[in-house]
Structures are given as structure tokens and as C-alpha cells.
Amino acid sequence: MHLSHDPDAPEGEPIAFEDFLKVDIRIGTIVAAEDFPEARKPSYRLRINFGAVIGEKKSCAQIAANYNPDELIGRQVAAVVNFPPRQIGPAMSEVLTLGFADDAGEVVLFAPDHPVPNGVRLF
């Protein structure tokens, strides 16, 4: 499966609502962000707090083109929390932080426009 960043790409194949419900997308607050120089594209290692039940998780995110580490601390982001952990070079990424491509193809984070409780699920 290839995901396109092209805004003119056709929509994906239809899925059942039950399949959508299997993807657990939650809001968390970034509590730490540091450079990840070993990554192929400019990236950061993030620690994200998803609240008392899920806790703090690590993510590797290719967001260095649009953000610096200091401005990420305290920012809420959306992430898939139920994918298996994935080894990214020397780091383990436990969640997939979500974003959209800007005009240059760089990631812009997906986040609520008002604060919500950490750990709340997308519906």
C-alpha cells in the first residue's frame, strides 16, 4: 500500500465502519522533543503523554522542516496508539504521530484547535 501526499490523488478504497474503529487515534501532549540525526529525513524523537491509561509513548516524527523542538513542548497532537512498535534506526517508535503534507511535501501536525483531555479518542 502506498500513501500519496498528492492533493489530487483519488480517494482510497471504501472500508467498513468497523475497520475504521480498529484504528485507535488519541490526543496526547508532547512532553519532550529532541533531534534525531540518525533518521534519513530531518526528524525528532518525541515523548507524548496520552493520559493515565495509555501513559507516555515515544514517536519518531519527520517534522523538523516545520517545527523546532522548543515549540513542540506542550503541544497536543493526534497519534495512532495501537500499531505495533516500529524500529526506526536506533530508536523505537511506539505511536504514529499524524500530520498532513504542506505545499512543499513537509509534515504539518494534526491537532485539535481547542485543548482536550490527553488520551481522548477520535470519533
Side-chain angles (χ1 to χ4, degrees):
M1 169 195 245
H2 175 71
L3 298 177
S4 174
H5 301 296
D6 179 357
D8 297 322
E11 65 184 80
E13 294 179 30
I15 62 170
F17 186 70
E18 292 75 25
D19 291 330
F20 168 74
L21 292 176
K22 292 176 186 176
V23 181
D24 193 354
I25 300 172
R26 306 278 182 128
I27 291 295
T29 299
I30 298 173
V31 296
E34 60 184 32
D35 288 325
F36 185 22
E38 300 90 350
R40 284 180 292 169
K41 288 180 129 186
S43 301
Y44 297 131
R45 290 185 211 190
L46 307 176
R47 283 196 342 260
I48 306 170
N49 177 1
F50 290 97
V53 174
I54 295 173
E56 198 172 280
K57 298 288 184 178
K58 297 174 189 170
S59 182
C60 299
Q62 296 176 350
I63 58 174
N66 284 324
Y67 304 94
N68 66 58
D70 293 339
E71 72 180 304
L72 291 169
I73 307 302
R75 182 186 181 104
Q76 287 196 303
V77 293
V80 177
V81 298
N82 66 330
F83 284 153
R86 185 172 179 193
Q87 190 75 39
I88 310 289
M92 184 63 71
S93 190
E94 299 172 304
V95 299
L96 175 64
T97 305
L98 300 176
F100 294 93
D102 63 13
D103 288 338
E106 301 295 344
V107 178
V108 175
L109 292 169
F110 181 60
D113 59 1
H114 297 286
V116 298
N118 286 335
V120 74
R121 187 173 180 169
L122 176 77
F123 64 90

